[in-house]
Amino acid sequence: MAVNESVDILNSAYLAVEYIDSFLPDNPLQQPFKNAWNYMLDNYTKFQIATWGSLIVHELSYFLLCLPGFIFQFIPYMQKYKIQQDKPETWEKQWKCLKTLLFNHFCIQLPLICGTYYFTEYFNIPYDWERMPRWYMLLAQCFGCAVIEDAWHYFLHRLLHHKRIYKYIHKVHHEFISPFGMQAEYAHPLETLILGTGFFIGIIVFCNHMILLWAWVICRLMETIDVHSGYDIPLNPLHLVPFYAGARFHDFHHMNFIGNYASTFTWWDRIFGTDYQYVSYQEKEKNQELLTEKKSN
């Protein structure tokens, strides 16, 4: 009975979103996107699209999303939004990070990306425009992928902090106490494989079109680069996502090393009490702000 009720609720929500979508104006970018997509299908093989297309989407998205945070370090006005203001970025750290990133991207992630074509063939994942899901279905699927990845990340990330294995794998990622966007995928190759597995579980569960692979790549990179950015920017649209952890939450993990293990959401840390040090830290900061205000008045 409970399952049937849940299905009815989901169907009702889907119909409601479809009804609302029917009143929205046509997206002016839809036709150019359709033309570009069909051009790609007409001029490249599925293997080329799945392999080299996925690599291009990953690399372009990663470094373009890192660019704002990289520029912020040169803008004095943005420094008030930096979380750990006493630990600025350095060229030495950023160059070291870039070298490791390029190794991971092309020697670890590229071989995995090469399996994308065989994955889509095995599960008969379509590429054509006609079967592409609507924008709201893509958003819902990406959210579902994020929920699954977040659960995987919490428990495996917490395991990687175990004193018997931390120094062998996860210590690499914690070389930077004050993170910056480009450092999001700076990790030991084994960690890239272990934590990266969570990314693919959601794809196996939800994927019904090639576009979801790329949409989920972009969403995941947007989230992980944001939480590693080192900047808490006001009016960040990601803060509209329910239970979103954000930069301050994960920045504290790098600063404190213990707690705040989840990647995207706050609920696992809340359930298991691994955010208690962060909560105490926030309370102390609020009390200090109140004392400062009283003294100034």
Side-chain angles (χ1 to χ4, degrees), residues 26-140:
D26 291 337
N27 185 350
L29 298 176
Q30 182 172 332
Q31 191 59 45
F33 180 62
K34 178 181 179 180
N35 294 339
W37 190 269
N38 285 329
Y39 177 86
M40 178 183 71
L41 293 177
D42 292 339
N43 291 276
Y44 300 96
T45 65
K46 284 186 176 182
F47 179 82
Q48 289 172 326
I49 294 168
T51 304
W52 305 117
S54 297
L55 178 66
I56 291 169
V57 167
H58 181 273
E59 295 306 300
L60 278 179
S61 299
Y62 193 88
F63 289 105
L64 284 175
L65 289 167
C66 285
L67 188 59
F70 177 77
I71 294 172
F72 289 164
Q73 66 184 306
F74 305 111
I75 304 174
Y77 176 80
M78 298 305 297
Q79 295 313 300
K80 64 181 180 180
Y81 300 120
K82 183 165 174 58
I83 300 167
Q84 297 187 54
Q85 296 186 9
D86 59 330
K87 298 181 180 67
E89 298 92 337
T90 66
W91 286 110
E92 181 185 1
K93 289 180 179 179
Q94 289 174 104
W95 175 239
K96 181 181 180 181
C97 179
L98 179 61
K99 288 188 292 184
T100 301
L101 270 182
L102 293 176
F103 174 82
N104 284 349
H105 283 187
F106 292 98
C107 297
I108 306 297
Q109 294 181 10
L110 179 57
L112 295 175
I113 290 172
C114 287
T116 304
Y117 167 74
Y118 302 100
F119 168 81
T120 59
E121 286 295 292
Y122 183 81
F123 288 101
N124 198 27
I125 305 298
Y127 289 62
D128 58 288
W129 175 265
E130 288 70 25
R131 283 181 284 181
M132 187 179 292
R134 298 299 298 274
W135 63 269
Y136 46 85
M137 287 303 297
L138 268 179
L139 282 179

Side-chain angles (χ1 to χ4, degrees), residues 11-295:
N11 286 334
S12 299
Y14 177 76
L15 290 172
V17 173
E18 271 199 329
Y19 180 73
I20 293 169
D21 183 56
S22 66
F23 289 98
L24 295 176
D26 291 337
N27 185 350
L29 298 176
Q30 182 172 332
Q31 191 59 45
F33 180 62
K34 178 181 179 180
N35 294 339
W37 190 269
N38 285 329
Y39 177 86
M40 178 183 71
L41 293 177
D42 292 339
N43 291 276
Y44 300 96
T45 65
K46 284 186 176 182
F47 179 82
Q48 289 172 326
I49 294 168
T51 304
W52 305 117
S54 297
L55 178 66
I56 291 169
V57 167
H58 181 273
E59 295 306 300
L60 278 179
S61 299
Y62 193 88
F63 289 105
L64 284 175
L65 289 167
C66 285
L67 188 59
F70 177 77
I71 294 172
F72 289 164
Q73 66 184 306
F74 305 111
I75 304 174
Y77 176 80
M78 298 305 297
Q79 295 313 300
K80 64 181 180 180
Y81 300 120
K82 183 165 174 58
I83 300 167
Q84 297 187 54
Q85 296 186 9
D86 59 330
K87 298 181 180 67
E89 298 92 337
T90 66
W91 286 110
E92 181 185 1
K93 289 180 179 179
Q94 289 174 104
W95 175 239
K96 181 181 180 181
C97 179
L98 179 61
K99 288 188 292 184
T100 301
L101 270 182
L102 293 176
F103 174 82
N104 284 349
H105 283 187
F106 292 98
C107 297
I108 306 297
Q109 294 181 10
L110 179 57
L112 295 175
I113 290 172
C114 287
T116 304
Y117 167 74
Y118 302 100
F119 168 81
T120 59
E121 286 295 292
Y122 183 81
F123 288 101
N124 198 27
I125 305 298
Y127 289 62
D128 58 288
W129 175 265
E130 288 70 25
R131 283 181 284 181
M132 187 179 292
R134 298 299 298 274
W135 63 269
Y136 46 85
M137 287 303 297
L138 268 179
L139 282 179
Q141 289 169 329
C142 285
F143 184 80
C145 287
V147 170
I148 292 171
E149 190 281 333
D150 185 68
W152 177 272
H153 190 101
Y154 175 84
F155 292 104
L156 272 295
H157 182 195
R158 190 172 175 181
L159 178 63
L160 289 175
H161 271 267
H162 192 281
K163 60 183 180 181
R164 291 187 178 180
I165 58 176
Y166 170 79
K167 63 181 179 180
Y168 300 110
I169 302 175
H170 193 52
K171 186 178 179 180
V172 173
H173 185 67
H174 275 278
E175 284 182 24
F176 303 105
I177 297 173
S178 178
F180 47 90
M182 192 168 57
Q183 191 240 336
E185 290 186 343
Y186 179 87
H188 190 286
L190 277 177
E191 178 173 340
T192 300
L193 294 172
I194 293 167
L195 296 186
T197 300
F199 173 89
F200 296 102
I201 297 174
I203 290 296
I204 292 170
V205 174
F206 292 108
C207 194
N208 60 353
H209 195 278
M210 182 63 198
I211 193 67
L212 178 63
L213 283 160
W214 292 353
W216 172 222
V217 164
I218 294 169
C219 287
R220 177 69 181 116
L221 290 179
M222 190 182 302
E223 176 275 326
T224 191
I225 290 168
D226 177 60
V227 301
H228 285 93
S229 68
Y231 290 84
D232 187 18
I233 307 300
L235 303 178
N236 185 338
L238 288 175
H239 291 164
L240 298 174
V241 178
F243 302 101
Y244 181 65
R248 285 194 177 275
F249 189 85
H250 193 71
D251 201 279
F252 181 81
H253 173 75
H254 277 263
M255 182 176 65
N256 192 60
F257 291 96
I258 298 171
N260 292 15
Y261 298 111
S263 59
T264 307
F265 305 106
T266 57
W267 51 58
W268 288 114
D269 284 287
R270 182 60 54 86
I271 290 169
F272 290 99
T274 46
D275 64 346
Y276 77 95
Q277 291 185 354
Y278 176 63
V279 172
S280 299
Y281 177 76
Q282 280 187 313
E283 289 176 356
K284 287 179 182 177
E285 280 199 324
K286 286 179 182 178
N287 291 334
Q288 286 177 353
E289 287 176 5
L290 289 171
L291 285 171
T292 304
E293 285 180 9
K294 285 180 181 179
K295 288 179 181 179

